[in-house]
Every structure is written in structure tokens, then in C-alpha cells.
Amino acid sequence: MENSKTLSTALGQIHFIVRAVPSLDGEYTIELQVLKPEPILPPGMSVQRVRAVFLRAFSLTGFEHLDFSCRFDTEIKGGPESGECLDAQSWEGKQGIVVVGTEDGEALSRRMPWIEFLEDPLALVEYQKDGLNVPLKKIPAGETIDLHYIIAENSNPEPVECSAWYAVDIPHNKLIKD
């Protein structure tokens, strides 16, 4: 099954795609929502726009795998911008800066201890030149999966450097509460 949302940014459209394969035939749900969270910014910082794409998936029988990815639809090359409990990537153009962030593997494994890693939990989130991917394998039956991407946009150059990066660093539990 595939589910998707598309957001327009100053640098082009970003597609958020969920691909899921249930373990057995059975009931499952996959929901994608676009949210407008309040960023947590240090004094003096500002951003033009912050949005989040929130995924909630559930299966009575579990999932063999579930991939949650975001990709620009234009030829664009980004660079990693990771932090503590954060995997992020930024893209810059004349029209502005776009930063996309999500929880890193360590943060995900604290919330979902059943996550399987090939090696290092910090390498769970996959970086591509045009986006990010969170691949999960062997999701147990009856588990609810919550994942997110936060998208921040700002002018280029930013009025205060790193403002968009700070804007995508919203803890998952705050995103759910808001």
C-alpha cells in the first residue's frame, strides 16, 4: 500500500510517501496529516514557514516493512544537518532555504524498542541528495507507528543563521501534544 502528501516550497514540491507491506492479510490503517507546529527558536531567530507531515500507521498483524520518505521533485542537492536526536538535511537556492528534519535512529529506538538495526542506530535514517527515508522492518502486530518530518523555510541568506535548522528540531512528544 502507498499513501502520499505533497507540499509546495520555495525550492519546489516535496513528496512525502509511505510504502507499507502488512505481515499478513488483515486490517491496517495509514494516515498522513499536515500540521503547523510552533517551532522552538532561540531569541532573535525567525522562520518564514514551518509545517510537519505526521504519519500514524497501525496493523493488527504487523508490517513486514514500512518506509516513510520525503523527496523533492526537482533536481536539487542537499547536505546533512544532523543534531542530537535529529536527522536533518538542508537545501539552498536563490528563492530560499528549506530544511527537513526527523528523529534520528537513537530517538526512534527509544520510542519503539522493537526497531531492528543492521548496524548503528544512528544510521537508520537514509540520506539521499533530494530527500530522506525512514525504513522500518518487522513491525510487531498491534503496534502504532508515529513518525514525522518537519519542514522549515526561510530566506537565503537567513536573517539569523541556522534559524531553519532550529525550527525543525521539535521533539516528537511536543508535536503530538500540539
Side-chain angles (χ1 to χ4, degrees):
M1 178 196 189
E2 186 173 298
N3 198 340
S4 65
K5 291 273 186 200
T6 299
L7 296 180
S8 293
T9 73
L11 301 180
Q13 292 190 329
I14 304 178
H15 304 282
F16 297 85
I17 302 164
V18 181
R19 290 184 179 93
V21 175
S23 296
L24 301 168
D25 288 336
E27 289 186 40
Y28 62 91
T29 59
I30 295 177
E31 300 172 10
L32 281 175
Q33 295 179 312
V34 177
L35 309 173
K36 294 183 179 179
E38 279 297 317
I40 305 164
L41 297 173
M45 289 189 172
S46 64
V47 290
Q48 293 176 342
R49 181 163 55 172
V50 177
R51 292 171 287 174
V53 176
F54 182 79
L55 163 69
R56 177 162 286 152
F58 175 80
S59 172
L60 292 172
T61 60
F63 292 98
E64 284 298 314
H65 66 83
L66 183 145
D67 289 348
F68 186 29
S69 64
C70 70
R71 294 255 159 71
F72 273 95
D73 67 354
T74 57
E75 284 293 319
I76 193 164
K77 187 172 182 170
E81 299 281 347
S82 298
E84 186 174 343
C85 296
L86 174 69
D87 274 324
Q89 188 144 297
S90 66
W91 296 269
E92 295 184 23
K94 292 176 187 169
Q95 306 86 351
I97 294 172
V98 176
V99 179
V100 176
T102 191
E103 292 176 289
D104 69 10
E106 191 172 27
L108 290 169
S109 68
R110 278 197 297 271
R111 287 195 310 107
M112 299 177 271
W114 47 263
I115 290 177
E116 294 180 6
F117 300 105
L118 294 177
E119 293 175 20
D120 179 8
L122 291 176
L124 174 67
V125 176
E126 300 170 346
Y127 286 79
Q128 283 100 26
K129 66 177 182 162
D130 59 351
L132 295 165
N133 184 46
V134 179
L136 301 178
K137 312 264 184 260
K138 305 289 183 193
I139 300 167
E143 289 287 338
T144 298
I145 310 305
D146 289 336
L147 301 172
H148 71 263
Y149 285 108
I150 299 173
I151 306 91
E153 295 182 69
N154 222 353
S155 60
N156 188 12
E158 291 185 283
V160 177
E161 193 173 328
C162 298
S163 295
W165 181 84
Y166 274 99
V168 301
D169 193 12
I170 300 173
H172 189 76
N173 59 357
K174 181 184 181 330
L175 189 64
I176 290 174
K177 287 178 187 174
D178 291 349

